[in-house]
Amino acid sequence: MDSDETKNEILNWIDCNIYGLYYCEERVKLLSSISEVMERIPSEDRKSLMFKRGVRFIAPITETSVTEQVFIDPISDRNKKSTLCQCLKCDEYHLTPKYGRYDIMVGIWLVCLSSDILNRSKKEALYTLAHEFAHVYLEIPNTESKIDEFMEREKEIDKQIIKWGFESELKETKKNYICGEKSIQSESSVEAI
């Protein structure tokens, strides 16, 4: 597949999976930024993100960008029969069928983008998007945890984006987890989700 076909495939995929911005200049800019990040991610990792992880973009609604995995019942009639249950394995809450059948549950990843994503410098915006994609790729949701565990997970995520070739964007972003302001282990470096 040549680069134009790849670029069109990526843009179509993003366009089908982005919610919250309808046809406006901001949507075009956001599509372009997400596409630029996706094009730079190695093809096997990109395919995993696009076709195995069920990524959906919610844009832009939050103060900070966050990524969470959620479980849905794709059969709408059964959605009415679902409930929020606390998982015995991970102690997290998940949407589950009332009768305990997990075979119909589908996991998707919601990437909720910050309301200022388009106002940031280009390198900072690309870093933020790559960071959220690394959360999905490594299957590490933004969940509350002890500061030490949180910092280790975030460092692992930033190491992944360096592997993908975003080291210059990381270094240009003050708030990163390897060498920036967030690398200092203090409670003020953890943002509420």
Side-chain angles (χ1 to χ4, degrees), residues 33-51:
S33 294
I34 295 170
S35 178
E36 186 174 340
V37 171
M38 291 298 286
E39 289 173 39
R40 290 176 55 188
I41 293 174
S43 66
E44 288 304 312
D45 295 350
R46 181 175 58 241
K47 287 176 187 173
S48 179
L49 286 166
M50 290 172 68
F51 304 115

Side-chain angles (χ1 to χ4, degrees), residues 105-165:
M105 297 305 285
V106 175
I108 63 170
W109 287 86
L110 294 179
V111 176
C112 302
L113 300 171
S114 63
S115 56
D116 72 337
I117 190 86
L118 296 173
N119 298 330
R120 298 177 185 186
S121 71
K122 183 174 181 170
K123 287 199 175 211
E124 186 176 351
L126 295 179
Y127 162 78
T128 301
L129 291 167
H131 183 88
E132 296 308 319
F133 278 128
H135 269 283
V136 174
Y137 180 77
L138 296 172
E139 297 183 308
I140 300 174
N142 291 350
T143 56
E144 291 183 33
S145 62
K146 295 178 184 172
I147 188 74
D148 297 347
E149 294 170 7
F150 174 83
M151 293 304 290
E152 285 306 310
R153 285 195 326 255
E154 294 298 324
K155 285 179 185 176
E156 182 181 347
I157 289 163
D158 276 355
K159 287 176 185 175
Q160 180 64 46
I161 69 168
I162 290 171
K163 285 181 191 175
W164 285 342

Side-chain angles (χ1 to χ4, degrees), residues 2-184:
D2 69 14
S3 65
D4 286 340
E5 285 182 70
T6 301
K7 189 172 190 161
N8 286 334
E9 180 184 34
I10 291 169
L11 282 170
N12 287 333
W13 175 79
I14 297 165
D15 196 41
C16 290
N17 291 295
I18 192 166
Y19 303 92
L21 283 178
Y22 298 98
Y23 297 96
C24 61
E25 187 177 332
E26 287 81 12
R27 182 181 177 94
V28 172
K29 288 179 185 176
L30 192 56
L31 286 170
S32 176
S33 294
I34 295 170
S35 178
E36 186 174 340
V37 171
M38 291 298 286
E39 289 173 39
R40 290 176 55 188
I41 293 174
S43 66
E44 288 304 312
D45 295 350
R46 181 175 58 241
K47 287 176 187 173
S48 179
L49 286 166
M50 290 172 68
F51 304 115
K52 293 181 181 176
R53 297 290 195 266
V55 176
R56 303 295 184 270
F57 302 96
I58 310 298
I61 58 164
T62 61
E63 186 176 314
T64 58
S65 295
V66 295
T67 303
E68 290 296 332
Q69 186 175 30
V70 296
F71 296 89
I72 61 167
D73 180 348
I75 303 169
S76 62
D77 183 53
R78 296 197 186 196
N79 282 334
K80 297 174 190 168
K81 299 174 186 169
S82 297
T83 187
L84 194 62
C85 296
Q86 192 168 11
C87 178
L88 296 175
K89 291 181 182 176
C90 68
D91 205 37
E92 296 292 322
Y93 286 92
H94 303 289
L95 187 65
T96 59
K98 287 185 179 180
Y99 303 110
R101 291 195 54 217
Y102 289 90
D103 56 328
I104 57 171
M105 297 305 285
V106 175
I108 63 170
W109 287 86
L110 294 179
V111 176
C112 302
L113 300 171
S114 63
S115 56
D116 72 337
I117 190 86
L118 296 173
N119 298 330
R120 298 177 185 186
S121 71
K122 183 174 181 170
K123 287 199 175 211
E124 186 176 351
L126 295 179
Y127 162 78
T128 301
L129 291 167
H131 183 88
E132 296 308 319
F133 278 128
H135 269 283
V136 174
Y137 180 77
L138 296 172
E139 297 183 308
I140 300 174
N142 291 350
T143 56
E144 291 183 33
S145 62
K146 295 178 184 172
I147 188 74
D148 297 347
E149 294 170 7
F150 174 83
M151 293 304 290
E152 285 306 310
R153 285 195 326 255
E154 294 298 324
K155 285 179 185 176
E156 182 181 347
I157 289 163
D158 276 355
K159 287 176 185 175
Q160 180 64 46
I161 69 168
I162 290 171
K163 285 181 191 175
W164 285 342
F166 292 92
E167 187 170 5
S168 68
E169 287 82 0
L170 179 136
K171 288 181 177 180
E172 292 287 323
T173 303
K174 289 181 185 178
K175 293 183 178 182
N176 69 69
Y177 295 92
I178 291 183
C179 58
E181 291 175 10
K182 291 184 180 181
S183 66
I184 303 166

